[in-house]
């Protein structure tokens, strides 16, 4: 491991099933699919287990964005960095001059920073603790012309697991409309990581006049884990 920093109290590296809280045991049993370097000391808060993008999916998304981002875009902003699943994958591609990772929960951000060190990519990433909408408007506004935004928001609200079609209007705490409006004021080039059952009509609503918006499902073992909607001229059809 890169250093001997101390984990905040809500951050853990569980190495034995007996220490793992019951509601994350299922996630822990898949820990190497989530972070292949788990045993090198990966940190997570108990809540972060539920939201982290598994490494193979994060790698696929990072490859797609790197290959198909519009010309002239050299900055990748991960607006909801969490424990770093996607951020690390973006940095590993070597495509970006800089990766900016924003996370409002300080303990979770510390996990992202620590996990990026384990993967040897922390030097390519600038970490921001705070609200992504504010950070985009304030600290990062000058980078807008060069940036692509990736966002994996929380999928809270009614129905994520039970509804056949997930309603993006009632997604909490940020609806699709809120995300789209906030991000498009900064950069039209964005990829949003959303539940696999997301309402396609709602996704299409924001693609008006943008013939190249596209949905890609990301699958593991023959099952869709989630989808990304790409808005703003990603070269996703070739
Ligand atoms: C689904 S998780 C992201 C997981 C991440 N992609 C990963 O692979 O580890 C969503 C994260 O967004 C953070 N978050 C929620 N609202 C935020 C905001 N307004 N600005 C920045 N981060 C926020 C939450 O604390 C949570 O860690």
């Amino acid at each position: 491991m890169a250093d001997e920093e101390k984990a905040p109290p809500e951050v853990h590296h569980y190495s034995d099933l007996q220490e793992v809280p019951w509601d994350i045991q299922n996630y822990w049993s898949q820990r190497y699919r989530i972070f292949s370097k788990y045993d090198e000391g990966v940190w997570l808060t108990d809540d972060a287990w539920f939201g982290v993008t598994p490494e193979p999916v994060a790698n696929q998304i990072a490859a797609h964005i790197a290959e198909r981002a519009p010309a002239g875009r050299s900055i990748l902003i991960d607006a909801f960095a969490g424990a770093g699943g996607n951020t690390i994958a973006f940095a590993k591609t070597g495509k970006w001059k800089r990766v900016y990772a924003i996370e409002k929960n300080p303990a979770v951000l510390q996990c992202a920073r620590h996990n990026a060190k384990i993967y040897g990519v922390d030097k390519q990433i600038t970490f921001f603790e705070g609200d992504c909408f504010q950070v985009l408007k304030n600290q990062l506004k000058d980078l807008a012309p060069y940036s692509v935004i990736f966002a994996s928001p929380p999928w809270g609200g009614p129905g994520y697991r039970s509804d056949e079609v997930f309603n993006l209007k009632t997604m909490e705490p940020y609806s699709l409309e809120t995300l789209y409006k906030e991000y498009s004021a900064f950069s039209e080039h964005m990829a949003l990581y959303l539940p696999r059952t997301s309402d396609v009509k709602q996704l299409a609503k924001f693609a008006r006049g943008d013939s190249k918006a596209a949905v890609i499902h990301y699958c593991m073992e023959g099952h869709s884990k989630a989808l990304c909607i790409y808005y703003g001229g990603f070269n996703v059809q070739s």
Side-chain angles (χ1 to χ4, degrees):
M1 230 321 282
D3 66 8
E4 296 301 322
E5 67 189 311
K6 199 167 167 349
E10 61 271 60
V11 168
H12 307 282
H13 174 83
Y14 297 120
S15 40
D16 190 307
L17 179 64
Q18 309 210 321
E19 9 168 55
V20 183
W22 67 270
D23 54 339
I24 52 178
Q25 288 187 353
N26 192 27
Y27 292 87
W28 185 80
S29 66
Q30 300 177 52
R31 59 199 177 284
Y32 302 118
R33 289 207 305 182
I34 296 175
F35 283 108
S36 61
K37 296 187 182 229
Y38 184 83
D39 282 353
E40 293 184 34
V42 162
W43 284 359
L44 288 161
T45 62
D46 287 353
D47 284 345
W49 280 95
F50 300 103
V52 64
T53 306
E55 193 170 313
V57 172
N59 286 342
Q60 273 184 32
I61 294 171
H64 280 158
I65 296 183
E67 285 159 15
R68 296 160 189 219
R73 302 278 152 165
S74 54
I75 303 286
L76 189 295
I77 300 173
D78 186 353
F80 297 101
N86 293 103
T87 302
I88 290 167
F90 291 130
K92 276 194 322 192
T93 63
K95 150 91 180 174
W96 308 101
K97 269 194 193 151
R98 196 93 203 132
V99 174
Y100 291 86
I102 312 169
E103 169 56 50
K104 73 170 189 189
N105 180 319
V108 178
L109 185 70
Q110 220 170 315
C111 295
R113 207 189 285 272
H114 173 90
N115 296 338
K117 273 185 202 156
I118 292 176
Y119 280 81
V121 291
D122 55 303
K123 302 276 188 299
Q124 298 157 53
I125 305 166
T126 303
F127 295 92
F128 283 100
E129 180 188 320
D131 171 56
C132 61
F133 308 115
Q134 291 306 317
V135 172
L136 289 173
K137 277 185 200 128
N138 300 315
Q139 289 99 315
L140 295 182
K141 63 178 185 303
D142 294 342
L143 298 179
Y146 318 106
S147 297
V148 167
I149 299 178
F150 171 80
S152 57
W155 297 346
Y160 153 53
R161 287 178 192 281
S162 54
D163 290 1
E164 230 169 83
V165 177
F166 181 72
N167 187 348
L168 296 158
K169 287 187 184 165
T170 55
M171 183 165 70
E172 290 172 8
Y174 317 110
S175 67
L176 174 62
E177 182 167 13
T178 300
L179 296 172
Y180 184 84
K181 282 192 174 157
E182 289 280 347
Y183 295 152
S184 57
F186 180 86
S187 168
E188 61 175 314
H189 307 296
M190 69 182 89
L192 309 179
Y193 184 72
L194 297 169
R196 60 180 178 269
T197 54
S198 295
D199 186 329
V200 176
K201 282 189 192 151
Q202 293 174 348
L203 291 171
K205 187 177 159 207
F206 298 101
R208 265 191 235 140
D210 177 1
S211 60
K212 289 200 172 159
V215 169
I216 299 182
H217 280 266
Y218 289 93
C219 304
M220 280 171 76
E221 295 169 357
H223 297 286
S224 174
K225 294 291 293 176
L227 61 78
C228 269
I229 174 83
Y230 291 87
Y231 292 121
F234 284 86
N235 188 20
V236 280
Q237 279 136 340
S238 59

